[in-house]
């Protein structure tokens, strides 16, 4: 076989592989690259048939691994699937597994209560990391099916009734009792400080070193920029950030990078 024929066959093989991979890409539906339809409870996309549960679980997983970004709402056919997951024992188990990994991370840390110099730090997000917004979605029947109404959501926040996320209160206090300083960096607005503090204390969280909320100067910034700037400020003071835990990728993006990041599951909404 001469060289030109070999190259032609190789190129053809590559193109076939690309088309096949594209056929399985769930994002094709969102981009409108190929048609999608529903037949007898199944989703047909690019000629590939899958059941609705499988399709929605694939969508959820792709959100969690940050392949699907910047979505405004959950696909309508998947809202009930997301609700089922976020209110399930599987969600609680997944949070527990993330907590277990944090505890294992402690084993690699040089800081212990007797050795800490006061400059070891840990960062938590608040919504759906320490405090759960699931009761809000249950009451309003959203679970991502509609764009979040910020006015309505802030009215709910002011009631200070959000429960703690499963397993997180125990982890929070285990970190605090190790002598590590806890910093809370949230995208909540500064005018919600009083309600946020009340809710955190009622849910069993206390003893943090600083609670950072978005002031007027931060409101025009993307959340990832705002949180990155707060981490920069902490490290400029000499703090060693051993880990960041949140439910949104925007909690981790940007510099400086912490030693470890731990993401909790949340496919109800996306915050950039």
């Amino acid at each position: 076989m001469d060289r030109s024929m070999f190259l032609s066959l190789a190129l053809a093989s590559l193109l076939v592989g690309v088309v096949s991979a594209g056929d399985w890409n769930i994002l094709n539906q969102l981009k409108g690259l190929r048609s999608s339809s529903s037949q007898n409870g199944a989703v047909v996309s690019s000629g590939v048939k899958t059941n609705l549960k499988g399709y929605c679980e694939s969508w959820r997983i792709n959100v969690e691994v940050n392949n699907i970004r910047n979505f405004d709402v959950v696909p309508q056919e998947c809202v009930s699937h997301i609700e089922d997951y976020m209110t399930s024992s599987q969600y609680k188990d997944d949070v527990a597994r993330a907590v277990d990994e944090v505890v294992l991370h402690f084993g690699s840390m040089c800081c212990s209560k007797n050795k800490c110099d006061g400059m070891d730090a840990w960062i938590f997000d608040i919504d759906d990391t320490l405090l759960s917004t699931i009761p809000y979605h249950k009451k309003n029947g959203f679970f991502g099916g509609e764009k979040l109404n910020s006015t309505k959501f802030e009215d709910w926040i002011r009631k200070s009734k959000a429960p703690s996320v499963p397993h997180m209160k125990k982890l929070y206090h285990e970190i605090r009792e190790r002598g590590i300083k806890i910093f809370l960096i949230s995208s909540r607005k500064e005018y919600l400080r009083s309600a946020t503090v009340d809710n955190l204390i009622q849910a069993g969280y206390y003893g943090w070193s600083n609670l950072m909320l978005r002031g007027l100067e931060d409101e025009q910034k993307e959340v990832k920029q705002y949180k990155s700037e707060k981490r920069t400020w902490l490290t400029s003071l000499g703090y060693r950030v051993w880990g960041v835990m949140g439910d949104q990728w925007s909690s981790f993006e940007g510099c400086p990078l912490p030693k470890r990041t731990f993401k909790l599951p949340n496919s109800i909404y996306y915050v950039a």
Side-chain angles (χ1 to χ4, degrees):
M1 181 183 297
D2 60 30
R3 182 180 179 82
S4 61
M5 183 175 290
F6 175 81
L7 290 174
S8 297
L9 289 173
L11 179 59
S13 175
L14 178 60
L15 289 174
V16 169
V18 169
V19 171
S20 297
D23 286 342
W24 284 98
N25 188 350
I26 197 170
L27 299 185
N28 284 342
Q29 171 173 323
L30 303 180
K31 294 178 180 178
L33 297 180
R34 289 178 172 83
S35 63
S36 175
S37 61
S38 178
Q39 297 178 3
N40 299 323
V43 174
V44 180
S45 180
S46 305
V48 178
K49 187 174 181 179
T50 182
N51 63 56
L52 185 57
K53 182 178 179 180
Y55 167 79
C56 292
E57 181 63 7
S58 292
W59 187 89
R60 186 186 72 79
I61 292 296
N62 275 274
V63 168
E64 296 298 352
V65 298
N66 211 25
N67 287 339
I68 296 177
R69 308 179 184 186
N70 299 311
F71 63 90
D72 290 325
V73 295
V74 173
Q76 197 61 44
E77 64 270 28
C78 296
V79 171
S80 61
H81 180 81
I82 299 303
E83 177 179 1
D84 288 346
Y85 170 74
M86 294 298 293
T87 57
S88 70
S89 60
Q90 183 61 57
Y91 165 74
K92 294 177 182 178
D93 289 345
D94 291 344
V95 173
R97 193 64 54 245
V99 167
D100 288 345
E101 291 302 317
V102 174
V103 174
L104 287 174
H105 175 52
F106 287 154
S108 66
M109 294 170 59
C110 62
C111 177
S112 65
K113 191 169 185 178
N114 296 328
K115 297 179 181 178
C116 281
D117 59 3
M119 299 307 291
D120 294 286
W122 191 276
I123 296 173
F124 283 109
D125 187 12
I126 293 179
D127 287 316
D128 294 305
T129 300
L130 297 182
L131 300 177
S132 174
T133 69
I134 289 176
Y136 171 81
H137 294 283
K138 274 186 176 179
K139 180 179 179 180
N140 293 280
F142 293 154
F143 281 94
E146 295 180 18
K147 204 167 183 178
L148 189 69
N149 183 316
S150 58
T151 301
K152 202 170 184 179
F153 183 59
E154 288 181 356
D155 286 343
W156 181 80
I157 288 176
R158 287 187 176 93
K159 296 177 182 177
S160 302
K161 298 295 185 182
S164 61
V165 171
H167 310 291
M168 291 302 295
K169 186 163 55 178
K170 180 180 179 182
L171 174 66
Y172 175 96
H173 289 295
E174 183 167 346
I175 292 174
R176 189 180 63 82
E177 289 165 4
R178 285 173 175 262
I180 301 169
K181 290 189 175 179
I182 292 178
F183 294 88
L184 309 181
I185 304 179
S186 172
S187 59
R188 289 186 177 194
K189 306 290 180 60
E190 179 61 40
Y191 55 72
L192 293 169
R193 177 173 293 275
S194 179
T196 299
V197 170
D198 287 347
N199 200 161
L200 285 166
I201 292 173
Q202 289 175 25
Y205 300 103
Y206 52 85
W208 58 80
S209 293
N210 200 336
L211 167 60
M212 289 172 254
L213 305 177
R214 299 179 81 178
L216 290 174
E217 70 279 9
D218 300 313
E219 289 186 11
Q220 299 305 313
K221 301 173 184 176
E222 288 190 325
V223 172
K224 60 185 176 184
Q225 177 188 351
Y226 154 71
K227 292 192 173 184
S228 174
E229 288 176 356
K230 294 303 183 186
R231 292 199 305 274
T232 299
W233 176 69
L234 285 176
T235 55
S236 73
L237 296 178
Y239 285 103
R240 297 177 292 272
V241 180
W242 285 92
V244 178
M245 198 165 195
D247 67 297
Q248 299 289 320
W249 287 95
S250 53
S251 293
F252 318 127
E253 293 174 335
C255 295
L257 295 174
K259 295 181 184 295
R260 282 291 306 273
T261 60
F262 298 88
K263 185 183 181 304
L264 293 181
N266 182 5
S267 44
I268 299 175
Y269 55 86
Y270 187 93
V271 177

